Amino acid sequence: MRPSLLKRTPNIDIFTKLNDFALTNCSNTMDKYSSFFRDMHQNREVISKVGNLKFLSPNQTAQQRHILTSYINEILVLRSKMLFGKESFNCTIDFQWTDTIKEKLYKSNNINFEYYNALFNLAVIYYVLGLEVGAKSNDDKNIKKDAITNFKKALCLFRIIKNEAYKSINQAELPIDLYPTHLEYCERMCIIAGQKYIVEVAEITSEKEYSLHAKLYCCIVDNYNKIYTLCNTSPTNQGGSSEFRNYLNNRLFFYKFLMYAKLRDAALKKFEKTGNGYGEALYFQGKGVQELLECQKNIQNCGNHVNLDNFYKTLNEEQLKGQDMLDKNDRIYHQQTPQPGSIKLEKKDLMIPILSDDLFIGENKKKLFFQKSSAFQI
């Protein structure tokens, strides 16, 4: 399961609750309060009507992001000015959100509950925008960079929620998709998605820097490996269906193949320059074919997630290439292949969370995407 499903929330009349609380507890004029509360209620009403992003156009998704960002801004302001809960002198609102795994409805009077659930949806929107932008990128590196930026923003938000939500919400009220284990899963899906486009940009801008490409692929492999482990050990079942788990496992082996293919190309480049390295290239070619054969074992159980024709074409080409390299080494080069385990693989993670100058979240006032608002002062 990709982190592309929105949490759902019923429409709640927060305007009346907030307005009544302000009438009772605030002696200042009500005009500015009512206007702020009404805008906030309208934003939440729009948010509550969107259940599935796949029915929205890219422009509508971007508009939903804008409205959700405005609403989170308003929560931040409200959270700093009012107390929420069932106690006296607190504003009592029954906030309600479903989780994206079991679709159970959770309720809480805690404003942090509202905040982190809304923040989760914003992270999902950035992830989906990354997918939508990347799908139309073709060979345009600038569009690919835009997709990477969206994935980095999603990564940043999932990481904030992972580090903060469980400390701010009562355990009994914490939706399972806000558990740290599930949010780590979401983080790693963002890293994989963004890192794939980082590799594509690197292949355009640094076409023959094969060692760099291999390190970038190694990071993807590492995250697929950790995701697959999370899917099999976490009680939140974030991996979804067995079909999708098979797909994750399949991609783990396929990206190992891509990593080894780049290491092979780097060794062949070294061989062209120095006369040494053909044995290494042959070793990496063999390792890559082994990974493709591992892919083949469960590829029929991956549903429509994998293009079978393309896969078997790649497998056939790589097997023929490996045999050709082996023949050349036996007839001409006579170079030894490295011992298994003698080569240390390096990874390069370039998916650093985006931090910009206009967002303030959390105790350390991390600067991210939001602006403090002065629209509401009590």
Side-chain angles (χ1 to χ4, degrees):
M1 179 175 73
R2 295 181 177 88
S4 54
L5 298 176
L6 288 177
K7 299 168 77 66
R8 292 181 293 107
T9 181
N11 187 25
I12 299 169
D13 185 6
I14 63 172
F15 171 77
T16 301
K17 295 282 188 179
L18 292 170
N19 215 45
D20 289 349
F21 179 83
L23 278 169
T24 303
N25 296 281
C26 303
S27 58
N28 297 339
T29 175
M30 283 297 299
D31 293 344
K32 59 182 180 181
Y33 304 152
S34 294
S35 177
F36 181 87
F37 297 151
R38 186 173 289 106
D39 288 344
M40 192 173 182
H41 175 79
Q42 289 172 350
N43 284 332
R44 197 185 193 288
E45 188 175 24
V46 173
I47 292 165
S48 69
K49 292 178 180 178
V50 178
N52 197 324
L53 290 174
K54 72 179 182 180
F55 299 123
L56 302 184
S57 68
N59 286 340
Q60 289 173 321
T61 303
Q63 178 64 19
Q64 184 71 10
R65 177 199 62 195
H66 174 74
I67 293 170
L68 192 51
T69 302
S70 297
Y71 182 64
I72 292 170
N73 270 316
E74 291 161 341
I75 294 175
L76 286 170
V77 174
L78 206 60
R79 191 174 68 169
S80 67
K81 306 298 180 184
M82 296 170 62
L83 296 175
F84 288 81
K86 290 186 178 296
E87 297 82 2
S88 58
F89 302 108
N90 285 3
C91 181
T92 302
I93 299 176
D94 292 326
F95 298 112
Q96 301 177 42
W97 290 83
T98 61
D99 71 83
T100 56
I101 299 172
K102 297 184 177 179
E103 297 188 349
K104 176 183 174 181
L105 185 66
Y106 291 78
K107 301 179 182 180
S108 176
N109 303 129
N110 186 345
I111 189 68
N112 291 317
F113 174 86
E114 180 79 353
Y115 169 63
Y116 288 111
N117 280 286
L119 206 61
F120 182 96
N121 272 10
L122 184 60
V124 168
I125 286 175
Y126 274 114
Y127 180 86
V128 170
L129 285 171
L131 295 177
E132 291 176 347
V133 170
K136 60 184 181 184
S137 63
N138 296 320
D139 291 328
D140 190 325
K141 66 180 181 182
N142 292 321
I143 296 180
K144 292 179 190 295
K145 288 179 179 179
D146 289 341
I148 293 165
T149 297
N150 280 302
F151 290 126
K152 285 184 175 181
K153 290 180 176 181
L155 168 62
C156 183
L157 292 176
F158 282 129
R159 189 162 293 173
I160 288 170
I161 302 166
K162 183 186 77 172
N163 292 337
E164 298 179 4
Y166 76 98
K167 302 174 187 176
S168 306
I169 302 172
N170 186 291
Q171 182 68 24
E173 298 174 343
L174 185 69
I176 59 174
D177 54 2
L178 298 191
Y179 283 17
T181 49
H182 180 70
L183 292 161
E184 182 182 349
Y185 169 87
C186 295
E187 279 183 21
R188 295 192 180 281
M189 290 297 285
C190 292
I191 291 171
I192 287 171
Q195 192 86 353
K196 288 177 182 178
Y197 286 110
I198 287 173
V199 175
E200 292 182 15
V201 171
E203 288 174 337
I204 294 170
T205 58
S206 309
E207 184 179 354
K208 296 188 177 181
E209 294 294 328
Y210 303 122
S211 294
L212 169 62
H213 305 162
K215 291 176 183 178
L216 295 171
Y217 276 127
C218 188
C219 174
I220 295 175
V221 168
D222 181 58
N223 279 280
Y224 265 124
N225 189 43
K226 289 174 179 173
I227 277 178
Y228 190 69
T229 301
L230 279 170
C231 288
N232 288 311
T233 59
S234 172
T236 56
N237 189 33
Q238 59 260 32
S241 66
S242 60
E243 181 181 286
F244 190 71
R245 290 176 187 228
N246 284 327
Y247 168 73
L248 290 175
N249 194 36
N250 183 277
R251 292 300 87 186
L252 169 62
F253 292 120
F254 188 75
Y255 276 93
K256 282 185 180 179
F257 152 68
L258 293 176
M259 176 186 69
Y260 284 125
K262 291 297 182 180
L263 289 168
R264 173 204 64 206
D265 293 344
L268 288 173
K269 181 180 176 181
K270 173 185 171 183
F271 174 70
E272 290 174 3
K273 289 184 177 181
T274 68
N276 294 315
Y278 200 83
E280 286 183 25
L282 186 58
Y283 171 80
F284 290 130
Q285 177 65 24
K287 292 289 288 182
V289 171
Q290 286 178 16
E291 300 302 340
L292 285 176
L293 292 173
E294 288 295 326
C295 274
Q296 187 182 21
K297 291 180 180 179
N298 75 342
I299 199 166
Q300 299 292 341
N301 299 321
C302 296
N304 59 359
H305 295 292
V306 178
N307 186 311
L308 295 181
D309 291 338
N310 287 348
F311 171 79
Y312 283 109
K313 179 183 177 183
T314 299
L315 176 59
N316 183 58
E317 289 174 350
E318 292 301 318
Q319 287 176 321
L320 291 173
K321 184 181 293 183
Q323 188 60 52
D324 181 60
M325 290 178 67
L326 187 62
D327 292 343
K328 285 182 178 179
N329 196 51
D330 289 342
R331 288 185 295 105
I332 306 171
Y333 304 126
H334 308 294
Q335 294 195 9
Q336 290 187 338
T337 58
Q339 291 296 317
S342 63
I343 297 178
K344 184 179 180 181
L345 302 178
E346 298 180 39
K347 65 180 179 180
K348 193 173 186 66
D349 182 359
L350 296 182
M351 276 297 293
I352 309 301
I354 286 288
L355 302 178
S356 69
D357 291 335
D358 57 350
L359 173 66
F360 298 81
I361 295 182
E363 294 177 359
N364 296 323
K365 294 191 180 295
K366 305 180 202 58
K367 295 184 177 182
L368 301 166
F369 332 113
F370 303 108
Q371 293 181 343
K372 278 191 170 180
S373 171
S374 59
F376 176 49
Q377 299 291 333
I378 291 183

